[in-house]
Amino acid sequence: MKREVTAMTFVKYLFYGICWGCVCLVAFCLMVSLFDKEALPFIFNDFPRQVAGSVLVGIACGTTGIVYQFQRIPGFAKVLIHFVIGMGVFYPTAIHLGWFPFNPEHIGYTVMQLLISCGIFFAIWACFYFAAWLEARKINSRLKEMERDGK
């Protein structure tokens, strides 16, 4: 089955990315308000830049998800493209906006942050992958059921 990637598909992915970026910012603010209220002024004193950064990261991760619509690209290459672009925007944005303190003298801390970020990326990717896999199983099961009923 050939799928056509249209401008509307791209716009859909763009808005998904913006929404996810905003949802992640709100979820982060809620967690901070529960566990470390002293960090909230850091976010709120620079709120427009924090929102812009969250939206930018959401767009980078969300719109690159469109790569999964292309049939000719191998699966591993799709994940790699999505990962490289997503993390390539996320990590510099995170350092620039102070989400992660960056200190070249403590490179181990920076590497640990990067590894944790990669782990979170793959955990989120895995959730979406398994949700799609379960949906495909459900559809296939229903198709087999319809085929049996039709015979």
Side-chain angles (χ1 to χ4, degrees), residues 91 94-96 98-107 109-110 113:
Y91 209 72
I95 290 171
H96 179 72
W99 297 347
F100 296 141
F102 178 71
N103 188 345
E105 295 171 7
H106 301 288
I107 196 70
Y109 182 72
T110 302
Q113 292 171 350

Side-chain angles (χ1 to χ4, degrees), residues 12-28 51 53-63 124 127-128:
K12 180 176 87 172
Y13 277 81
L14 176 71
F15 282 115
Y16 283 162
I18 291 169
C19 290
W20 273 107
C22 292
V23 165
C24 288
L25 178 66
V26 169
F28 178 76
V51 170
S54 297
V55 167
L56 177 65
V57 170
I59 288 171
C61 291
T63 56
I124 292 169
C127 289
F128 279 99

Side-chain angles (χ1 to χ4, degrees), residues 46-118:
D46 195 22
F47 195 67
R49 284 176 15 111
Q50 299 296 327
V51 170
S54 297
V55 167
L56 177 65
V57 170
I59 288 171
C61 291
T63 56
T64 54
I66 201 166
V67 74
Y68 299 106
Q69 299 297 317
F70 295 101
Q71 301 298 321
R72 292 185 179 178
I73 302 173
F76 180 75
K78 292 175 186 180
V79 174
L80 191 62
I81 291 167
H82 190 196
F83 175 76
V84 167
I85 294 172
M87 290 303 292
V89 171
F90 169 74
Y91 209 72
T93 302
I95 290 171
H96 179 72
L97 292 175
W99 297 347
F100 296 141
F102 178 71
N103 188 345
E105 295 171 7
H106 301 288
I107 196 70
Y109 182 72
T110 302
V111 169
M112 183 60 76
Q113 292 171 350
L114 182 61
L115 291 174
I116 290 170
S117 300
C118 291

